[in-house]
Amino acid sequence: METTSRTAEQEAPATVGRKADGYLLAAFPWYGLDEAFTGPRWLMQVGAAADGTVEHGSTGHGEQPTIKVESPQDERFAVVVTVASRPVRRSADGTGVLEATSVSTAAWLAGSGLLNHTWPTQMDRTLRQAWLDQQTMLAWELADDLGGGAWSELMLPVDGVPTSFAYRESEYGWVLAGSAGDGPEPVHLGAYGRGMSAYGLAFSVVEDIRSYAG
């Protein structure tokens, strides 16, 4: 069990819009789909600690998802979440401790990311926030139990190397999480998507993150 609240990175991130600037500040490599994917690529946002250190971010592939579409199942996209590998450390203001990042961190960010781009078509607008809160808590619980029955193993290439991922599907899309890189800058990877099968995906380091900025 991780010893500090995973929500620390969610509640107080310094977010950067769809610009490459925030991504360029990261001390770790970004990942996306490999060159076999020939569709649109785009940036989402980065999350940073209180001192400005970039902790995680996402790269998008395919159609940019929106909860406003009539039929979300018609969307085709895959988002790759890169999370810096961090040990347990003091918070920037010295008043607390931030948990070590892990595959569970990547799973949580991917799961909550999918939910943020989901609006059950049968649900009244006033009920969605309650649904989102409930489903987000469930995603958190599932992320803390990657060895549980809700997950299966999926082997996918990362920089050409077969890599094990925890994988699960829901009526809203799929989520997976694993780790990548054995060098000085290892990272944890999460991904989520809808309309694109996860089984044919392959991940690789993004050589120039500015190529995603359009």
Side-chain angles (χ1 to χ4, degrees), residues 168-187:
R168 68 178 177 89
E169 295 180 355
S170 75
E171 60 182 302
Y172 308 114
W174 52 263
V175 173
L176 59 81
S179 292
D182 296 323
E185 297 176 332
V187 298

Side-chain angles (χ1 to χ4, degrees), residues 23-95:
Y23 291 81
L24 294 171
L25 296 175
F28 54 89
W30 296 105
Y31 277 78
L33 299 186
D34 72 358
E35 69 278 358
F37 176 79
T38 58
R41 297 173 183 254
W42 31 275
L43 296 179
M44 297 187 71
Q45 63 182 25
V46 299
D51 63 357
T53 301
V54 176
E55 300 282 354
H56 60 81
S58 302
T59 56
H61 311 78
E63 302 170 7
Q64 295 191 34
T66 171
I67 59 176
K68 297 180 181 180
V69 297
E70 288 296 324
S71 179
Q73 288 71 25
D74 292 338
E75 294 179 320
R76 298 184 69 258
F77 68 89
V79 173
V80 180
V81 182
T82 307
V83 183
S85 180
R86 304 282 194 226
V88 175
R89 68 271 191 210
R90 301 290 297 179
S91 60
D93 59 10
T95 61

